[in-house]
Amino acid sequence: MTDTPARSAPAPLVLREQAPPQLEATLEALDGQPVTPVESFYVRSHAGTPRIDPHAWRLAIGGGVRAERRLTLEALRALPAHEQAVTLECAGNGRTAFDPPAPGIPWGPGAVGTARWSGVRLADVLDLAGVAGDAAHAWFEGADLGGSGAPCFVRSLPLALARERVLLATHMNGDPLTPDHGAPLRAIVPGWYAMASVKWLTRISLEPMPAPGPEMTQSYCYWREHADGWRATPVTEIRVKALITRPLDGARVPAGTVRVAGFAWSAGPVARVQVAADGAPWRDAALEPAIGAYAWRAWHAELTLAPGAHTIAARATDAAGATQPERVDWNRDGYGANAVTRVAVTVVPA
């Protein structure tokens, strides 16, 4: 059963859609928080938050396995525990930057956050069942149901990648998952946009082919128009991006040395962040120590600004050499926005 009551957004979050509630973090709440508090972490759901009794809940493991399993939370807790800091970003984060506009939830820049996720490795769970036959993909099914009563959200990953990366999380920042964030169990897929990190997991099935449903073939695709029609490329890995959390767009700041700060992330390690004001040459920002291979890095820089209107820009480069582009890579549904980040500020006499 799905619960979609109307409610107001808590203080650190902005309500972007009412039913089901879609909640975006404010940049003020993210600023200075390498690990995002649960109450400041964005919320994205497709059919509302299902009501799940953790005592009755089971995780089914089936498909191409030697022995099907139905695991309780206690059975999962008996496996080796692991924790990993991972940044999750909604594929539609920054959608409001697209011109012409793209349909969908009007996310600003705050549909992103970093948490310390803990639980068990998918590889250890699959070892309990044993991989058999021609299994090549892992299908992840959530408990949220669509209007027909069928599973609302099924995503799949290549089995080799899933075994290598996926964490099945029961805890977030040291506490049990909240219902909004997938309790009692969710997948965490480091380096991929968060649609792959299926919440409210009820079943993992090993199959010879990718999942065929709409969340794989229609939604979460980069649809672009070509001479012979529209073509889709699946949304997969996170694109490199820097976020400015200080100063905020529209801020008034005193003249002199202005501290600029934020976070940068990608599908892998971030190697460099650069800042510039008013089109001046780029200069390197200082990077804080990484808290995880798939977690954002805090950065900061200082700019000297005279009174007047100024535009501050930031861009990130990852270890693979990818750098943020100047313009948003337009696509029909507004995914993967990662153009150079800019904020406009007014500098006033000190």
Side-chain angles (χ1 to χ4, degrees):
M1 182 175 182
T2 297
D3 181 19
T4 57
R7 58 173 169 167
S8 298
L13 299 170
V14 177
L15 188 66
R16 293 302 185 197
E17 279 192 359
Q18 184 70 51
Q22 314 293 352
L23 303 166
E24 176 181 343
T26 66
L27 298 188
E28 295 94 328
L30 296 179
D31 184 46
Q33 301 273 13
V35 175
T36 310
V38 175
E39 61 271 17
S40 301
F41 209 101
Y42 80 97
V43 175
R44 170 72 170 107
S45 64
H46 293 79
T49 301
R51 299 188 182 107
I52 298 175
D53 178 355
H55 301 290
W57 172 91
R58 299 291 186 271
L59 175 66
I61 309 295
V65 296
R66 288 195 292 270
E68 293 196 356
R69 297 278 185 163
R70 287 178 57 82
L71 302 176
T72 64
L73 284 173
E74 289 71 23
L76 290 175
R77 293 184 184 117
L79 296 171
H82 293 273
E83 181 180 88
Q84 190 172 6
V86 176
T87 296
L88 292 187
E89 181 183 14
C90 180
N93 190 33
R95 180 177 282 129
T96 53
F98 281 81
D99 184 18
I105 299 169
W107 295 118
V112 62
T114 298
R116 295 190 183 277
W117 308 95
S118 52
V120 300
R121 290 176 176 164
L122 173 65
D124 292 337
V125 171
L126 294 182
D127 285 345
L128 293 177
V131 178
D134 55 357
H137 298 266
W139 295 18
F140 299 86
E141 181 178 315
D144 43 336
L145 301 179
S148 64
C152 170
F153 201 81
V154 180
R155 290 281 309 184
S156 67
L157 291 168
L159 181 56
L161 182 145
R163 285 186 62 95
E164 175 189 351
R165 290 199 198 176
V166 172
L167 179 73
L168 301 180
T170 57
H171 287 67
M172 179 181 183
N173 295 345
D175 293 321
L177 290 172
T178 63
D180 277 343
H181 292 293
L185 187 74
R186 73 173 298 171
I188 298 295
V189 185
W192 278 49
Y193 281 110
M195 77 281 154
S197 294
V198 176
K199 298 192 284 188
W200 312 296
L201 273 178
T202 58
R203 180 176 176 83
I204 299 172
S205 183
L206 305 189
E207 304 293 342
M209 63 191 70
E215 302 299 339
M216 290 287 294
T217 60
Q218 297 297 316
S219 299
Y220 298 108
C221 292
Y222 297 116
W223 285 94
R224 298 184 181 88
E225 191 172 17
H226 296 263
D228 58 349
W230 289 85
R231 298 180 196 167
T233 303
V235 173
T236 56
E237 291 189 324
I238 291 173
R239 293 175 171 179
V240 64
K241 184 185 291 188
L243 176 67
I244 299 173
T245 59
R246 185 189 315 174
L248 298 175
D249 191 48
R252 295 171 65 86
V253 298
T257 300
V258 176
R259 181 179 175 87
V260 184
F263 298 99
W265 62 94
S266 188
V270 169
R272 187 182 196 185
V273 173
Q274 297 170 292
V275 297
D278 306 316
W282 293 102
R283 51 179 293 188
D284 286 339
L287 293 175
E288 301 293 339
I291 64 171
Y294 294 99
W296 63 18
R297 291 187 74 173
W299 59 268
H300 66 272
E302 292 184 343
L303 297 174
T304 301
L305 300 177
H310 297 274
T311 299
I312 300 171
R315 69 179 184 185
T317 300
D318 65 20
T323 300
Q324 285 178 258
E326 282 291 323
R327 294 181 178 275
V328 174
D329 182 15
W330 192 91
N331 57 92
R332 188 188 67 187
D333 295 332
Y335 292 131
N338 75 324
V340 169
T341 303
R342 290 181 169 86
V343 297
V345 300
T346 300
V347 176
V348 299

